Amino acid sequence: MPKIDDLFRALSTFRPTPDAQQHQAVNAPASAGLFILAVPGTGKTASLTLRILKLVLVDGIPPRGILATTFTKKAAEELRSRVLGWGFRIIDALKNDPTLSPKQKAFVDSVDINQIRTWT
């Protein structure tokens, strides 16, 4: 599996890396629950998206084992859209990362992020 730094390096190919507070939320242990509450525009969806992708790509949690909930259908749809959009871009960047081993690349290639569930 890739490491968290590999994930952030892949992310940086298309958007800025998380700030300190977002990094803390994303990098929390896989066993820790996460409840993000903040005002609009502070990066809640970005943090949750990256947290989900970190759990799957770095911590090895099966995508089917992820259920992310939000308060509205619109927010759940936005989250799913972002998980898939960013996820596919990160997976492509990781598969093309010359610093990853063939075993790490094979793992990344085997991940089916379509199995991640978002709900209200």
Side-chain angles (χ1 to χ4, degrees), residues 45-99:
T45 305
S47 296
L48 188 53
T49 299
L50 291 173
R51 169 78 173 162
I52 291 166
L53 294 171
K54 182 249 185 195
L55 289 171
V56 171
L57 295 168
V58 175
D59 296 329
I61 305 294
R64 188 75 182 145
I66 303 290
L67 172 61
T69 60
T70 64
F71 288 107
T72 67
K73 288 181 183 180
K74 183 178 178 184
E77 290 167 2
E78 172 60 28
L79 179 59
R80 177 153 181 81
S81 174
R82 206 172 294 190
V83 165
L84 295 177
W86 291 11
F88 288 126
R89 290 176 82 173
I90 287 171
I91 287 170
D92 285 344
L94 290 170
K95 289 188 325 190
N96 292 312
D97 187 334
T99 67

Side-chain angles (χ1 to χ4, degrees), residues 1-11 13-14 53 56-58 86-101 104-109 111:
M1 287 173 277
K3 298 195 178 343
I4 189 72
D5 291 339
D6 301 323
L7 179 77
F8 288 141
R9 188 172 53 254
L11 175 70
T13 64
F14 64 93
L53 294 171
V56 171
L57 295 168
V58 175
W86 291 11
F88 288 126
R89 290 176 82 173
I90 287 171
I91 287 170
D92 285 344
L94 290 170
K95 289 188 325 190
N96 292 312
D97 187 334
T99 67
L100 293 185
S101 71
Q104 288 172 309
K105 290 180 182 185
F107 169 77
V108 168
D109 197 36
V111 172

Side-chain angles (χ1 to χ4, degrees), residues 7-25:
L7 179 77
F8 288 141
R9 188 172 53 254
L11 175 70
S12 72
T13 64
F14 64 93
R15 66 166 286 116
T17 55
D19 65 25
Q21 288 182 318
Q22 292 169 325
H23 192 277
Q24 184 180 9

